[in-house]
Amino acid sequence: MMHGLIRAVLRYRVIALIGMAAWLAAGTWAILRLDIEAYPDPSPPLVDVITQNPSWSAEQMEQQVTVPIETALNGMPRLQYVRSVSLFGLSDVKLYFDFDSDYFRDRQEVLNRLQTVTLPQNLQPQLSPWSAVGEIYRYQLKGEGYGLNEIKATQDWFVRRELKQVPGIVDVTTFGGTTKQYQAEIDPQKLLEYNLTLPQVLSAVGASNQNAGGNYLEVGAQNVNVRGLGLLKNVSEMGAVLIAERNGAPIFLRDVADVHEGYQPPLGRVGRNGESNIVKGTVLLQRGEQSLPALEGLRNKIRALNGGLLLRGMKVAPIYDRTSLINTTTETVRHVVLTGLLLVTLLLLVFLGDVPLALVTALTIPFAVLFAFGLMSGTGRSANLISIGAIDFGIIVDSAIVVLENIYRRMHEATSEEDRLDLIAEATAEAAKPVLFSTLIILVAFIPLFTMQGVPGRIFAPMSVTYGFALTGALIFALLFAPVLASYRHAVRAGHAADTRLVRWLKHRYERLLIRGMRHRKFVIPVAVVFLLTSLALFWVIGGEFMPKLEEGNLWIRATLPQDVSFGYAAHLADEMRGTLQSFPEVEQVVSQVGRPDDGTDTTTFNNVEFQVDLKPQSSWKTARSKDELIQKMNDALGRYPGVAFNFSQNIQDNVEEAMSGVKGENSLKLFGDDIDVLAKTAARIQDAMATVPGITDLAVFRETGQPNAAVQAAIGGAAATQILEGDRRFDFVVRYKPEYRQNPEAMKNILLSTPDGNRVPLGQVAEIGFREGAFMVYRENGRRYIPIKFSVRGRDLAGTIQEVQSKLSRSVRLPEGYHDEWAGEYDSLRKEQQRLAIIIPITVGMILALLYLSFNSIRNALAVLSVLPFGVAGGVLALLVSHTPFSISAAVGFASVIGVATLGGLVFVAGIRRAEAHEHGIQHSIIRASVGEMRAVLMACLAAGLGLLPAALSHGIGAQAQQPLARVVVGGMITTSLAILIVIPVIASLGLVTSEATEM
């Protein structure tokens, strides 16, 4: 059947060529429309519920807000985790759903359930638009000659609205600056003099700021609307608000208060380079939307704003643009891909010595890639540096190599009387079965990737799908279009040398080596077994990590200050630290942020200072040769600040780590229990034990206690009596005591309270006023409190470090009854994935064995091919060991690729031996002849796979880190796979374990 199909295609080869050209054109058009991201989004559907009350402590927020919300939202369909953080004035509840759950349906379900929650003081929960990889653009709104109040107001009420109109943008958050507020600072002595109370003032101010409707009035033939205008417009009108009257004399607000424009107490501050307080905007991408079109629309809108829409003197200045990262990583991938393509093409030319056939083989790559991208675009999938850069073009061309090498050999062996098209069809059909089976086996070898779940699934599933599409395209090209293109090559006269000089030299040396190996097979097999066992045993030495760090070209540094630090001192330290970081010549710019934005989208407070440090290209660095060395020097320079714990990460990496574990840190150990004090004491002992383990850095406990609390009322914190409208802008009008009457506990004791009988009593007589230590921040997961101990690992592998920590903790720290710990972050993900691979890999190998049996109809032949696979794995292990690369999920992908190519090579090789045995007498002679004959095809397939990823294995550009373990495994595995196929299989065959007794292929 295959022969007839190929013969028909060859008969109508012009139509086939038109079809191929049309597909290439369609693929080119599709790739121009394909969405390209820097990195895939590894986070599950996540809905973030935020509730703010600036007058409540962390424990109040937990008890009265967080717990009721958690209770209402538990039991939702496909809900996996409920994690929350409660701190002063803020409750943040994050809901994590199954990875395959529908985000927008989950979001709507949360909204529906929140309608059933009744919170004290009519608090209203809000949904945050934040996502782990959604921050695609950051900017500073500058305004020369304008105050921070005006700049912040323009950002909140104009720029933010304009940018949200860009398709794909879900929200814009504001951080820094000052929020305009009208303030009436009450003199309590004046209230006493006029016999007024603070509630009277609040009531009068609220009642005075409103319009009244009077229906309409007919004046002759004209209709006139009647309105009473009472909205306050300026400070003068606010001061003229009537509070009461005494003896016929009006008492105005200005009689008892200083009325002025001010700003609300800041929750955070942003600094940039030499500026200590700026207004920053962060643009968030809608989940599932494409980055590049949204960024292009965003830049167009910003050009319009800067071109005249903004007030004169104001300007939007970019701080961070995801486009730069996408372009940089794309350039890295492009360089790696083109270099790999060139190496594979040169290999084909060297081994085939036939330029037309070599170019036809190389044409497999663009055809397969365009085929894959066309299907990706058609199915609405996006591409990223992992899904593109991890494709091994050497593996892609293997099918075409096998088919064309067979055509090439048959054309050189043919007599002049044979019909060339029939010969090509016969040669293609002869190679079709091993090619079909080998491609199917490669896809089966990728089952561990297709079945990945959670974070690994989000990262590598796009690559698996892309690989599957590309292999399918390569198979179509090899069986249908490659024979058509080969048919246009002029016939070669019989007897013409089919091998290049290099191939003849290799065959000569290989034949001598093979004869010697078969003569001493009792020595070869034990040596091979010892090598195999030794190499595989070294796997436990290389260590492990979840994923190599995806280089972003920046640093995200977090400084954790003492929990009771004041806002002013934290801002002062941020300015100093920003200057310290900026002194490094490798640094492009430094942006610091203290605390959190007004909308509560970052669950932190004044003790958290974060720095965005953009780095220059590494080629221009002066004081450090690597990023690890630069981090160490920065850590040393920042070490002069006592009591401050630092954590070093990257922009996107930091968001992803926080989204996955719920903790601001690369890795964390969560200690669960009920009593905050017990948690704190036990966590301190754990921290002391962990500090003695080499490789543990950035170690700190997120303190949950130690926050001084004081009694707060409207007199102290202030209460918004009403809002002032200025066009479409709204600003709070806040009433509170003057600073001198609320700045310390002694002053608070003298605040007068009204009694039901009209008398006044000092607050100090009815309440205890003073500082008392309370909860600072309360972490919860699935209804239980926990305290996180965060840490990073540098200088050694993650798995080995954690195992040593576990051993030390089991000996030195005994947990109280009812308390337990859980690992979160990268180690937890690595452990879960290793457990899954331990189950799925044996199943995959069993499926490969079944396919091999179906191909050969012989269990001995199938086992002979399967015997090659451990040698490929051993080569990958040695490559990781030599390059000091820990095992990771990326390396696991490489091992899957090695298994696929090793199976292909072994399948073709054993098939050749079986054919030779069927047509010749004498096992030894037929094995040697078949092995030498198949040597070129095996070497081309294996070397092409290795050379295709060699540039990725050696690259150190931004974006190459995720590919390195994969590429190094493939390069090392192909070396040992080649040797195993060419030496071990013939030796096994010479023992009679590979026979042609079964049905011929």
Side-chain angles (χ1 to χ4, degrees):
M1 188 177 90
M2 182 62 68
H3 182 278
L5 174 63
I6 298 169
R7 190 66 180 86
V9 172
L10 290 171
R11 183 181 306 153
Y12 302 103
R13 54 185 179 174
V14 174
I15 297 176
L17 289 177
I18 294 173
M20 185 177 71
W23 180 256
L24 291 175
T28 303
W29 176 79
I31 200 172
L32 296 176
R33 300 177 63 251
L34 185 65
D35 177 36
I36 299 178
E37 305 287 346
Y39 304 118
D41 182 0
S43 62
L46 186 155
V47 181
D48 193 1
V49 182
I50 291 175
T51 312
Q52 296 195 84
N53 184 345
S55 62
W56 279 2
S57 68
E59 286 173 298
Q60 283 179 292
M61 293 300 296
E62 180 200 22
Q63 295 164 0
Q64 301 197 47
V65 178
T66 302
V67 172
I69 290 177
E70 287 182 352
T71 302
L73 297 179
N74 269 321
M76 291 181 58
R78 318 200 84 175
L79 180 63
Q80 290 293 306
Y81 299 100
V82 179
R83 292 173 177 149
S84 65
V85 180
S86 304
L87 62 157
F88 182 79
L90 177 65
S91 164
D92 180 70
V93 180
K94 286 185 170 66
L95 299 111
Y96 296 76
F97 293 85
D98 283 342
F99 276 86
D100 57 351
S101 181
D102 182 84
Y103 167 73
F104 294 101
R105 186 197 64 192
D106 297 334
R107 185 181 175 91
Q108 185 59 49
E109 179 69 16
V110 171
L111 286 171
N112 294 342
R113 293 204 176 200
L114 286 177
Q115 302 304 313
T116 66
V117 180
T118 302
L119 298 177
Q121 298 185 12
N122 294 319
L123 295 177
Q124 293 297 320
Q126 305 291 328
L127 298 191
S128 167
W130 182 87
S131 66
V133 297
E135 298 179 359
I136 60 172
Y137 196 90
R138 295 192 184 99
Y139 63 88
Q140 175 187 354
L141 181 60
K142 295 183 175 182
E144 188 174 350
Y146 294 92
L148 286 173
N149 270 2
E150 182 62 27
I151 297 175
K152 177 74 176 298
T154 303
Q155 158 64 19
D156 286 337
W157 298 102
F158 179 68
V159 176
R160 183 168 175 264
R161 290 179 176 180
E162 290 292 315
L163 296 184
K164 286 180 67 175
Q165 297 174 20
V166 176
I169 302 303
V170 63
D171 204 356
V172 179
T173 61
T174 304
F175 201 165
T178 55
T179 301
K180 183 178 177 180
Q181 188 181 76
Y182 291 99
Q183 298 174 343
E185 295 190 330
I186 305 294
D187 185 340
Q189 299 301 324
K190 294 287 186 181
L191 292 181
L192 190 61
E193 178 182 337
Y194 291 111
N195 193 27
L196 295 173
T197 63
L198 188 59
Q200 285 180 283
V201 176
L202 289 169
S203 178
V205 172
S208 298
N209 185 36
Q210 55 186 327
N211 289 337
N215 212 316
Y216 66 90
L217 185 68
E218 293 186 9
V219 181
Q222 186 178 12
N223 183 73
V224 178
N225 293 328
V226 178
R227 291 190 301 155
L229 300 179
L231 289 179
L232 302 175
K233 296 184 176 64
N234 52 56
V235 171
S236 177
E237 292 184 2
M238 297 174 205
V241 169
L242 180 64
I243 304 299
E245 60 85 21
R246 293 291 184 267
N247 300 322
I251 302 173
F252 299 105
L253 181 61
R254 60 174 173 263
D255 295 328
V256 297
D258 291 335
V259 183
H260 57 87
E261 177 186 324
Y263 56 86
Q264 74 180 35
L267 297 175
R269 176 179 292 182
V270 178
R272 182 186 184 192
N273 297 334
E275 301 176 81
S276 61
N277 196 354
I278 68 169
V279 176
K280 184 189 78 168
T282 301
V283 182
L284 303 176
L285 183 71
Q286 178 68 270
R287 187 180 180 93
E289 291 291 332
Q290 300 182 2
S291 297
L292 289 178
L295 285 164
E296 180 61 29
L298 196 62
R299 286 191 293 271
N300 291 335
K301 175 64 74 172
I302 289 173
R303 279 193 289 268
L305 289 171
N306 290 337
L309 293 180
L310 281 171
L311 297 174
R312 184 183 299 274
M314 286 194 179
K315 177 184 178 183
V316 175
I319 294 176
Y320 169 81
D321 187 341
R322 179 75 60 79
T323 308
S324 301
L325 178 62
I326 294 175
N327 290 340
T328 302
T329 54
T330 303
E331 180 59 34
T332 299
V333 171
R334 183 184 295 113
H335 172 74
V336 167
V337 165
L338 291 178
T339 307
L341 175 59
L342 178 62
L343 289 174
V344 171
T345 305
L346 289 176
L347 174 74
L348 296 174
L349 286 171
V350 168
F351 271 79
L352 291 176
D354 189 298
V355 174
L357 285 182
L359 293 179
V360 169
T361 307
L363 189 61
T364 309
I365 296 173
F367 182 89
V369 169
L370 292 177
F371 182 88
F373 288 165
L375 290 180
M376 291 173 67
S377 180
T379 55
R381 301 175 186 272
S382 63
N384 55 71
L385 74 93
I386 297 177
S387 63
I388 299 174
I391 296 178
D392 188 347
F393 293 132
I395 298 175
I396 295 299
V397 301
D398 278 350
S399 296
I401 286 176
V402 173
V403 172
L404 288 171
E405 200 276 339
N406 202 46
I407 293 174
Y408 182 77
R409 183 178 62 216
R410 292 291 299 272
M411 288 174 67
H412 280 281
E413 294 174 351
T415 62
S416 57
E417 290 80 15
E418 292 187 72
D419 181 83
R420 187 155 52 92
L421 295 184
D422 277 338
L423 179 68
I424 292 174
E426 184 179 337
T428 304
E430 189 178 78
K433 187 174 181 180
V435 165
L436 283 169
F437 267 93
S438 61
T439 301
L440 182 59
I441 286 170
I442 290 176
L443 292 176
V444 169
F446 272 52
I447 285 179
L449 310 186
F450 286 112
T451 57
M452 279 184 174
Q453 301 173 345
V455 178
R458 283 298 181 96
I459 294 175
F460 289 107
M463 191 212 78
S464 305
V465 172
T466 307
Y467 235 132
F469 288 161
L471 285 170
T472 304
L475 181 64
I476 294 172
F477 181 85
L479 296 181
L480 297 182
F481 296 117
V484 171
L485 294 173
S487 69
Y488 284 96
R489 185 190 183 282
H490 296 299
V492 180
R493 58 186 175 85
H496 185 73
D499 295 332
T500 63
R501 182 178 300 177
L502 174 62
V503 172
R504 289 196 300 272
W505 183 86
L506 287 174
K507 283 186 175 181
H508 177 67
R509 294 292 187 275
Y510 171 57
E511 185 174 0
R512 293 173 58 185
L513 177 64
L514 188 57
I515 293 172
R516 187 177 304 171
M518 293 176 66
R519 188 178 300 153
H520 300 90
R521 53 180 176 263
K522 292 184 179 179
F523 172 76
V524 171
I525 291 180
V527 168
V529 171
V530 170
F531 166 79
L532 181 63
L533 295 177
T534 303
S535 301
L536 295 178
L538 292 174
F539 177 80
W540 307 106
V541 179
I542 60 177
E545 62 183 6
F546 177 58
M547 273 288 293
K549 300 296 182 294
L550 303 175
E551 180 57 47
E552 302 175 32
N554 59 52
L555 285 172
W556 192 266
I557 305 174
R558 176 177 288 106
T560 304
L561 311 180
Q563 57 267 36
D564 58 350
V565 68
S566 68
F567 170 73
Y569 187 63
H572 169 71
L573 285 181
D575 292 341
E576 286 192 358
M577 293 175 183
R578 195 172 62 249
T580 300
L581 294 170
Q582 203 173 353
S583 66
F584 285 84
E586 293 81 4
V587 172
E588 187 76 38
Q589 72 165 348
V590 183
V591 178
S592 64
Q593 54 188 50
V594 180
R596 66 175 183 264
D598 293 342
D599 60 6
T601 49
D602 194 0
T603 52
T604 187
T605 185
F606 304 144
N607 80 316
N608 185 77
V609 184
E610 298 176 0
F611 301 90
Q612 173 192 327
V613 182
D614 293 332
L615 303 176
K616 297 176 182 177
Q618 195 164 346
S619 58
S620 64
W621 288 11
K622 297 179 179 179
T623 62
R625 292 168 294 181
S626 66
K627 197 169 187 179
D628 285 342
E629 184 180 351
L630 179 63
I631 289 174
Q632 186 58 52
K633 291 191 174 186
M634 287 182 172
N635 197 35
D636 293 341
L638 294 170
R640 64 190 181 94
Y641 298 100
V644 181
F646 292 94
N647 183 81
F648 292 82
S649 186
Q650 298 179 108
N651 186 359
I652 299 175
Q653 178 188 341
D654 182 78
N655 284 338
V656 170
E657 290 166 350
E658 182 180 352
M660 299 314 301
S661 66
V663 177
K664 292 180 180 293
E666 187 173 340
N667 290 281
S668 62
L669 176 62
K670 296 178 179 179
L671 177 63
F672 287 83
D674 297 323
D675 190 292
I676 291 180
D677 293 327
V678 175
L679 285 173
K681 293 176 182 177
T682 308
R685 297 203 307 271
I686 293 175
Q687 180 185 16
D688 292 340
M690 292 179 64
T692 63
V693 177
I696 294 290
T697 60
D698 307 336
L699 178 64
V701 174
F702 283 88
R703 305 290 179 186
E704 296 192 350
T705 58
Q707 174 65 51
N709 292 322
V712 178
Q713 295 183 9
I716 303 170
T722 186
Q723 286 190 324
I724 307 300
L725 303 183
E726 296 181 3
D728 58 355
R729 304 181 181 187
R730 297 170 179 266
F731 303 102
D732 286 341
F733 186 10
V734 173
V735 177
R736 62 180 178 180
Y737 276 7
K738 288 184 175 182
E740 58 266 30
Y741 297 105
R742 54 183 168 84
Q743 62 186 1
N744 56 58
E746 290 303 318
M748 296 177 195
K749 289 179 181 180
N750 296 322
I751 294 174
L752 296 177
L753 303 177
S754 299
T755 62
D757 59 3
N759 293 321
R760 311 283 180 87
V761 296
L763 178 61
Q765 290 186 9
V766 296
E768 182 181 346
I769 306 297
F771 294 111
R772 179 176 296 173
E773 188 173 286
F776 168 67
M777 188 175 290
V778 182
Y779 290 89
R780 295 170 61 88
E781 182 171 320
N782 291 337
R784 291 206 66 189
R785 285 178 171 178
Y786 72 90
I787 186 170
I789 303 99
K790 65 98 178 175
F791 64 95
S792 300
V793 175
R794 287 197 290 273
R796 61 181 297 193
D797 72 283
L798 175 66
T801 306
I802 300 299
Q803 288 165 6
E804 184 175 345
V805 169
Q806 291 173 329
S807 174
K808 186 155 291 188
L809 291 180
S810 65
R811 296 193 307 268
S812 59
V813 178
R814 183 175 181 180
L815 299 182
E817 186 176 352
Y819 289 69
H820 73 278
D821 55 30
E822 294 180 8
W823 296 95
E826 290 190 359
Y827 179 73
D828 180 56
S829 300
L830 174 64
R831 181 178 54 81
K832 291 178 180 177
E833 192 57 28
Q834 285 176 332
Q835 292 173 351
R836 190 192 68 86
L837 289 174
I839 298 173
I840 197 67
I841 287 179
I843 295 175
T844 302
V845 173
M847 293 177 66
I848 291 175
L849 179 61
L851 287 172
L852 290 172
Y853 175 76
L854 290 176
S855 175
F856 292 117
N857 197 22
S858 167
I859 190 63
R860 286 188 290 179
N861 294 163
L863 291 173
V865 175
L866 205 65
S867 67
V868 175
L869 306 190
F871 289 94
V873 173
V877 170
L878 290 177
L880 293 178
L881 183 67
V882 171
S883 61
H884 304 288
T885 305
F887 174 81
S888 63
I889 305 304
S890 175
V893 175
F895 283 114
S897 299
V898 167
I899 289 173
V901 180
T903 306
L904 168 64
L907 185 66
V908 171
F909 199 79
V910 170
I913 293 177
R914 282 166 55 91
R915 283 196 300 270
E917 289 180 348
H919 294 91
E920 297 186 21
H921 297 288
I923 290 180
Q924 300 291 335
H925 181 266
S926 60
I927 290 175
I928 292 173
R929 186 177 183 277
S931 300
V932 173
E934 299 295 338
M935 183 207 73
R936 179 172 60 182
V938 170
L939 280 181
M940 279 197 298
C942 294
L943 293 181
L947 288 176
L949 284 178
L950 182 61
L954 301 177
S955 176
H956 293 282
I958 291 178
Q961 291 71 27
Q963 302 166 256
Q964 281 181 345
L966 181 156
R968 289 168 179 171
V969 166
V970 172
V971 171
M974 288 304 96
I975 295 173
T976 53
T977 295
S978 301
L979 295 174
I981 293 174
L982 296 176
I983 303 297
V984 176
I985 287 184
V987 171
I988 292 177
S990 69
L991 296 175
L993 300 181
V994 177
T995 69
S996 58
E997 62 187 22
T999 304
E1000 274 302 310
M1001 294 186 62

